[in-house]
Amino acid sequence: SGATKVHMALSSHGDTLTLSIADNGKGGIADAPPGMGLANMRERAASLPRGRIAIDSASDGTRISVSWRLPPGAAL
């Protein structure tokens, strides 16, 4: 990907956690050959309670955001 920088953040809003990862690489996920990496990420996100994943890839980098709901009674 050619990335030289990566930024990761974990945030919470109520009972929802969001993990965001962004890099300054070449992007181009849409042009990548099919593989297990993205499929595994989507499958793992979907297995979380109300899990969602968003992937945005452009020529200035890629941003991946995964959010899920904490189980009732879970502490942060």
Side-chain angles (χ1 to χ4, degrees), residues 7 14-16 19-20 26-27 37 39 45 48 53 58 62 66-67 69-70:
H7 176 79
D15 63 354
T16 301
L19 173 64
S20 299
K26 294 184 276 186
L48 296 167
I53 187 168
T62 299
V66 179
S67 61
R69 188 174 214 174
L70 289 171

Side-chain angles (χ1 to χ4, degrees), residues 14-68:
D15 63 354
T16 301
L17 290 177
T18 301
L19 173 64
S20 299
I21 304 167
D23 71 27
N24 66 342
K26 294 184 276 186
I29 286 178
D31 301 327
M36 294 302 296
L38 292 175
N40 281 339
M41 289 171 44
R42 288 185 176 104
E43 183 178 321
R44 288 174 186 242
S47 73
L48 296 167
R50 292 194 184 178
R52 294 175 296 169
I53 187 168
I55 301 171
D56 180 30
S57 185
S59 61
D60 61 347
T62 299
R63 177 182 163 93
I64 299 171
S65 179
V66 179
S67 61
W68 67 97

